[in-house]
Structure formats: structure tokens, C-alpha cells
Amino acid sequence: MMAVHELKILSEFIQPQLEGKKNFEIRKNDRNYQVGDTLVLKEYDPKTNNFTGINMLAEVTYITDYMQKDGYVVLGTKRFKLRIVDNQNIGGD
């Protein structure tokens, strides 16, 4: 069964994902990631200690722990052609 994982990601790492320049994530494998899982990458600003409202969906297409620190994996990702803006962070009434 495919799982959905919500993950924090910093601006410096989400922008290349959004632009299609980066197609991987290096993560601690504490969630039993599997090929076919969906990642919800949620942009996080450590200066404000808040999420920015910019989210991105990606499918895990490949997993390896080759040459990684113990307990870490490289997740090959394929971006879904969708960008979500969380409206709770948008001003207005």
C-alpha cells in the first residue's frame, strides 16, 4: 500500500524541485519509504518557525542507501504537475 509522507523542506531545496532541476531527496529513513509513495514537500522557514504555504507533491520513483550515512536514503522523485498554495497563509478576510 502506498503511503503519503508530509515533509518539511527549506526554500533552498524546494525551489530546484519546483523548477525541475532537482529530482531527489536525501532523508532519514524513519518512515519506511517505498517506491510509489507520495511526498508532500512543505516549504518551511526556520527564521519564522512557520510553513510558507508553498507545497509540492512528488512520487518516490527510486530508493537507495548507497554511500549514505547509516539510516539515510536517497529518494528519487518525480514531481506531480501540480503546485499547492495553502490558503491559510494568504492574507484577506
Side-chain angles (χ1 to χ4, degrees):
M1 184 152 133
M2 307 308 167
V4 176
H5 306 280
E6 291 190 12
L7 304 170
K8 288 181 183 177
I9 186 169
L10 301 176
S11 297
E12 64 190 280
F13 300 117
I14 197 170
Q15 286 306 317
Q17 280 274 15
L18 290 168
E19 295 166 3
K21 296 177 182 177
K22 178 177 176 262
N23 60 356
F24 66 92
E25 288 293 314
I26 299 173
R27 297 288 175 152
K28 185 173 185 176
N29 194 15
D30 56 355
R31 298 173 183 239
N32 191 28
Y33 297 107
Q34 300 292 317
V35 170
D37 285 356
T38 298
L39 305 180
V40 181
L41 301 174
K42 301 179 79 162
E43 185 179 37
Y44 182 77
D45 184 348
K47 294 176 188 168
T48 63
N49 202 31
N50 287 304
F51 291 97
T52 66
I54 302 297
N55 302 327
M56 190 193 102
L57 299 176
E59 178 185 0
V60 175
T61 59
Y62 184 80
I63 302 173
T64 183
D65 62 358
Y66 182 73
M67 299 291 290
Q68 298 302 302
K69 293 191 295 188
D70 284 344
Y72 282 78
V73 291
V74 178
L75 304 172
T77 59
K78 180 178 179 184
R79 183 176 89 116
F80 290 127
K81 299 293 182 186
L82 173 66
R83 184 171 162 184
I84 301 169
V85 177
D86 182 354
N87 65 4
Q88 73 183 15
N89 293 322
I90 296 174
D93 299 312

